Amino acid sequence: MNIQATLVKLAATCAVTAIMSSSTFAQEACTTYTVKDGDTLGTIAKAAYGSLDYQVIFNANRQILGSNPNGLEPGTELVLPCKDGRLTADSPAPAIELPEAPAAGSSSGNSVGAYRPKVKFVSGNDWSPFADESLTGGGIAVRLATTAMHRGGNDREYTVNWVDDWDSHMTALLPSGAFDIGLAWYMPNCEKIDKLSEAMAKRCTDYDASLPLYEPVSGFYAKPGSKYAAAKTYADFEGARICRLDGYYTFDLEEQGLVEPTITLVRPAKREECFEGMMFGNIDIVAMEVQSAADVIKTLGIEAEVVENPYLSSVMTMAALAHKSNPFGREYLAMVNRGLTEMRDSGEWYDVISGTLQEVNERSASN
């Protein structure tokens, strides 16, 4: 049963349960919750999980929320997954085992009369939970892509290589053919390429992308009472000092006209510096994925001093990329796409993500 069918069945079951119990109206993990006026995904997550990170709720309700995590409609029934990633209390915990690699000499490496080289993936470290060698399968993005190579009828061998100079992936390693597929990169809306900087536009002109591996929500954070905290349009950010980490994507800002001199872009090396700058009054807005932001806010102990803008968050598309000069790039991306499609239909996609997030949470709790 795919995840969409599972969620439909779960919603129907919980509708009956709601008649018998008021628990549906409590913001508790392992239940459903009926959205009330004034709720945001952030406030619901805070009540249910004690964290501002609502990505897990978004993942579980993707079919209901679509591509807009803002403006929840009162009366909407949301599934609030268990803290260990299960959709319901009686669901099995998401597995974290990896698929067994093809045996040496099997058809995955060679076929009669044809040589089929291994697909060479490249990723980098220090981007938890998406990419890090220390995580099972290398993190969400790496694990999804490599598991996809065992699904959808794929039988191709591959290697995963780790190069921590992320910039070199796009500027040298993929264009030169040293590696075939880069994991994982955010893709802009290429229909707005005329608004993109040269570096961001190259993701459209020079690369082919897979289907979405994952779709993180990116939010804007400000101090309570700031005029930017409740801004309803991107134009309201004019004049703001916006923090986005050095080396990170900027196309989401560019697509909305948030470029200098309309705004001042501050680009520190570490996530903590964005929020510390805000506390010292040097930064007005922090633009960051909600998972990363929630982790930093909790670490710094500034939950009461930061709020997320409830109107202007956006859904990012994280994909596997192949340089257009690679003669086999589209073939390899088609393999990833076939596997991802099967994984989404079977529910394995959700299990991979939930299992990895649970692993990261357990590590955080033990530190």
Side-chain angles (χ1 to χ4, degrees):
M1 180 182 295
N2 64 33
I3 187 171
Q4 185 171 4
T6 301
L7 293 176
V8 170
K9 181 179 178 181
L10 177 61
T13 301
C14 290
V16 175
T17 305
I19 298 175
M20 303 172 61
S21 169
S22 62
S23 64
T24 302
F25 299 96
Q27 293 159 301
E28 299 175 356
C30 266
T31 65
T32 61
Y33 174 69
T34 302
V35 175
K36 300 182 181 66
D37 188 37
D39 281 339
T40 67
L41 288 180
T43 60
I44 295 170
K46 183 65 176 177
Y49 305 105
S51 169
L52 295 173
D53 180 4
Y54 56 81
Q55 184 74 46
V56 64
I57 300 176
F58 183 76
N59 291 344
N61 296 277
R62 188 68 171 82
Q63 288 77 18
I64 298 172
L65 298 173
S67 59
N68 183 14
N70 308 307
L72 295 179
E73 291 293 330
T76 302
E77 293 281 343
L78 296 178
V79 174
L80 303 186
C82 305
K83 291 184 178 181
D84 61 5
R86 293 174 297 158
L87 288 174
T88 64
D90 58 356
S91 300
I96 62 170
E97 294 83 6
L98 296 175
E100 187 173 330
S106 69
S107 61
S108 61
N110 295 280
S111 58
V112 176
Y115 169 68
R116 300 196 300 169
K118 294 181 179 180
V119 179
K120 296 174 291 185
F121 290 102
V122 63
S123 191
N125 285 293
D126 199 27
W127 196 26
S128 177
F130 307 120
D132 198 289
E133 283 182 280
S134 69
L135 294 172
T136 300
I140 287 175
V142 177
R143 188 174 162 202
L144 285 170
T146 55
T147 302
M149 297 298 289
H150 299 265
R151 306 291 182 261
N154 297 319
D155 63 351
R156 191 64 163 268
E157 288 186 349
Y158 58 84
T159 61
V160 178
N161 305 271
W162 299 86
V163 178
D164 293 345
D165 179 1
W166 283 88
D167 186 61
S168 70
H169 298 196
M170 300 286 275
T171 59
L173 300 180
L174 292 170
S176 70
F179 298 101
D180 299 308
I181 303 292
L183 301 172
W185 296 87
Y186 289 127
M187 283 298 291
N189 179 354
C190 293
E191 293 181 357
K192 297 184 178 181
I193 191 171
D194 58 315
K195 295 185 177 182
L196 302 182
S197 63
E198 181 180 357
M200 294 295 102
K202 283 186 175 182
R203 300 193 185 192
C204 297
T205 59
D206 295 4
Y207 286 88
D208 291 313
S210 70
L211 293 174
L213 294 170
Y214 190 51
E215 294 159 301
V217 179
S218 182
F220 294 96
Y221 297 83
K223 298 186 74 171
S226 162
K227 66 178 182 179
Y228 304 112
K232 293 187 177 181
T233 70
Y234 290 101
D236 294 333
F237 285 165
E238 182 177 353
R241 296 164 296 179
I242 300 179
C243 189
R244 170 65 58 76
L245 291 184
D246 185 36
Y248 272 48
Y249 59 95
T250 54
F251 59 77
D252 59 322
L253 304 177
E254 296 165 4
E255 289 169 8
Q256 302 299 333
L258 297 178
V259 297
E260 295 184 334
T262 301
I263 56 98
T264 299
L265 191 60
V266 183
R267 311 209 69 180
K270 296 182 179 180
R271 300 180 303 172
E272 292 79 5
E273 295 178 67
C274 281
F275 287 99
E276 289 169 347
M278 181 184 292
M279 294 301 100
F280 285 111
N282 301 321
I283 289 170
D284 300 307
I285 300 170
V286 175
M288 192 175 292
E289 303 107 322
V290 297
Q291 288 171 285
S292 296
D295 180 57
V296 176
I297 291 169
K298 181 178 179 180
T299 299
L300 295 178
I302 56 174
E303 289 94 338
E305 301 175 66
V306 178
V307 294
E308 182 186 357
N309 180 291
Y311 304 108
L312 299 176
S313 55
S314 59
V315 179
M316 310 298 292
T317 297
M318 182 183 291
L321 299 187
H323 198 269
K324 289 184 177 180
S325 64
N326 188 320
F328 303 106
R330 291 187 178 182
E331 176 187 345
Y332 297 158
L333 290 177
M335 294 178 187
V336 173
N337 289 345
R338 287 197 300 269
L340 285 174
T341 299
E342 180 179 306
M343 292 168 68
R344 283 185 180 270
D345 288 343
S346 69
E348 187 177 17
W349 176 87
Y350 180 84
D351 285 346
V352 166
I353 290 170
S354 298
T356 303
L357 293 179
Q358 177 64 12
E359 180 181 4
V360 171
N361 290 339
E362 289 175 352
R363 288 189 182 189
S364 177
S366 64
N367 291 336

